[in-house]
Amino acid sequence: MEPSSPRKPHLSSLPLDSENKATEFHPFSTSPPHMFAFHLAWLSLFSCFFSAFSIPPLIPIMRQNLNLSAADIGAAGTAAFVGSIFSRLAMGPVCDLVGPRIASAALSLITAPIVLATAFISSPTSFILVRFLIGFCLAKFVANQFWMSSLFSTSVVGLANGFAAGWANMGAGVAQLTMPLLYSFVKSFNVPENTAWRVIFVVPATFQALTAIMVLIYGQELPCKDSIKVSNKPKESFLLLLFNGLMNYRGWILGLIYGCCFGVEMTMDNIVAQYFYYRFGVNLEVAGTIAACFGLTNWFARPLGGIVSDQMAKLFGVRGRLWGLWAVLTVAGLLCVLMGRANSVGGSIGVMCMFSVFVQAASGLTFGIVPFVSKRSLGVISGMTGSGGTVGAVVTQMLLFSGDKFSTQTSISVMGLMMIICTLPISLIYFPQWGGMFCTPNETSIDEEDYSLLV
């Protein structure tokens, strides 16, 4: 009797390129390995966003029980984003070394107990510390985008990245909607207020752990690994991968741009429920529902950004991706300014919804460019860009939404102006093979392997 052979990866039902990456993307398909991995990736990241933003809609209640000041709430909001800055930067090289599946699942399993620990906080200091530590789980975003870039061809990678991140980012909106409802449900059983909000944190913690286990058991990082041509070149070290990525100026610019779209999005997720609760006097459940509208547009808005990026590339090449990003992010900035100047609850909600579509689409457009920056250090560039998002959230939170220096509505308008100004460096991105916004490609052809080293 012959010994049983190792289980081989599933053959794909999608057309593949020379690297066995899918050249088509069907978001409502679950066929293995490409589309099944896609669904595992976004659902797992969804659980992390749900965990990270499960606290903000409950802050009006937690504030009373924990005696939190405005400064404490602002510091905690900043801490939540600081926690993911360096973890996102580190996640890129980790994905290069061990793969996105293991990196993703390990991070979720490590941070799930911290989410559960929210039930035991008893002081402003422990509140800030828990928000800081939970922020680490958002580094999973880098693994998510890295995973999509390894599964899907450049012709559809913007679409794949947009759907994977967009559907995952809905976790923030679902948390804004469901956590107040769970609190009210538990409280309806005559559970004391101080206990009711603590009990419900078992939900995000359990959800996060379960999705991580699913990724470990069922996930597949690369299709048909045994059929991919193996390079004769030695595997590069962690430090060399990191150095090559950090020396690429395009990664730094994309990090800045991502801070102006995804960073702003995270800041809004952090403050929007409180904004409507305090400024317009709506109750906790209504404030959470309004805030959910901002996050839930990710279902189509960020994927739309990926679609726009890919379509612009078909018409104008990589230069089209750059122009599309600049235009969408500029409109998002203008809408952000307008939202801060809206004086009625209805008008504010309407502008907020339009703003959410454009700012989330801009995030999709940003990661439609990332895979073209450096093939060799893709993980590092993804980490740099992703870290830029959290740096942007930290900067806007600290400058505009910490303490009582500015009213929230004024801070929102100033944030929009910052977005518009920060779109200008997009014009500095230049690819020798494809050109830039105002520059044509270099006539001298460049080998793809050498191109990955260009800085």
Side-chain angles (χ1 to χ4, degrees), residues 11 37 56 90 154 179-180 189 215 274 279 291 306 339:
L11 295 176
T154 54
M179 293 302 282
F189 291 96
V215 167
Q274 302 167 62
R279 186 179 183 197
M339 179 181 170

Side-chain angles (χ1 to χ4, degrees), residues 48-336:
C48 289
F49 274 96
F50 187 95
S51 295
F53 291 97
S54 58
I55 293 178
L58 299 176
I59 284 180
I61 303 302
M62 299 172 72
R63 182 176 191 171
Q64 301 173 10
N65 297 152
L66 300 174
N67 296 317
L68 301 174
S69 65
D72 293 329
I73 295 172
T78 301
F81 301 137
V82 170
S84 66
I85 292 176
F86 297 107
S87 58
R88 283 193 173 204
L89 185 58
M91 180 59 80
V94 170
C95 288
D96 281 321
L97 294 175
V98 304
R101 180 179 65 90
I102 294 177
S104 169
L107 183 62
S108 283
L109 291 173
I110 291 171
T111 54
I114 301 172
V115 178
L116 186 60
T118 306
F120 304 101
I121 59 179
S122 58
S123 66
T125 301
S126 58
F127 175 71
I128 295 171
L129 178 62
V130 164
R131 292 218 66 189
F132 169 74
L133 294 175
I134 291 177
F136 279 76
C137 73
L138 293 178
K140 192 167 186 172
F141 168 81
V142 176
N144 173 281
Q145 299 290 273
F146 186 100
W147 201 349
M148 294 304 98
S149 296
S150 68
L151 287 171
F152 295 95
S153 174
T154 54
S155 61
V156 293
V157 71
L159 186 62
N161 279 339
F163 269 95
W167 287 6
N169 288 0
M170 286 195 302
V174 173
Q176 302 272 13
L177 177 65
T178 59
M179 293 302 282
L181 295 177
L182 286 172
Y183 165 76
S184 298
F185 175 74
V186 173
K187 194 179 176 185
S188 68
F189 291 96
N190 295 320
V191 176
E193 182 181 90
N194 192 37
T195 302
W197 67 261
R198 296 175 185 274
V199 170
I200 61 177
F201 280 96
V202 71
V203 175
T206 303
F207 183 30
Q208 184 173 315
L210 288 176
T211 56
I213 294 171
M214 290 172 61
V215 167
L216 279 177
I217 296 175
Y218 301 110
Q220 184 174 319
E221 290 168 349
L222 291 172
C224 308
K225 292 180 182 179
D226 54 345
S227 65
I228 296 177
K229 184 178 178 181
V230 178
S231 173
N232 293 324
K233 294 185 178 182
K235 190 174 183 179
E236 293 178 298
S237 68
F238 175 90
L239 290 178
L240 187 56
L241 287 171
L242 183 62
F243 176 79
N244 286 334
L246 293 177
M247 288 298 292
N248 197 313
Y249 78 93
R250 304 173 192 86
W252 292 101
I253 294 178
L254 290 176
L256 171 65
I257 299 304
Y258 201 57
C260 295
C261 49
F262 185 69
V264 167
E265 179 186 343
M266 286 204 297
T267 300
M268 289 297 296
D269 284 328
N270 210 32
I271 60 97
V272 69
Q274 302 167 62
Y275 173 64
F276 282 95
Y277 181 86
Y278 289 114
R279 186 179 183 197
F280 297 108
V282 300
N283 62 37
L284 189 68
E285 290 79 8
V286 172
T289 302
I290 295 171
C293 293
F294 183 86
L296 291 176
T297 53
N298 267 297
W299 187 83
F300 68 91
R302 183 154 182 158
L304 181 62
I307 293 172
V308 171
S309 183
D310 288 341
Q311 290 301 313
M312 290 291 286
K314 289 179 180 179
L315 294 173
F316 308 106
V318 173
R319 299 177 70 186
R321 293 184 189 269
L322 295 172
W323 275 104
L325 173 58
W326 173 82
V328 170
L329 189 53
T330 299
V331 173
L334 293 172
L335 289 169
C336 187

Side-chain angles (χ1 to χ4, degrees), residues 233 372-376 432-434 442-454:
K233 294 185 178 182
F372 298 91
V373 174
S374 174
K375 183 177 180 181
R376 172 172 293 184
Q433 288 178 315
W434 306 297
N442 191 329
E443 294 182 359
T444 304
S445 61
I446 299 174
D447 182 77
E448 183 178 0
E449 194 70 24
D450 293 333
Y451 173 72
S452 67
L453 293 174
L454 291 175

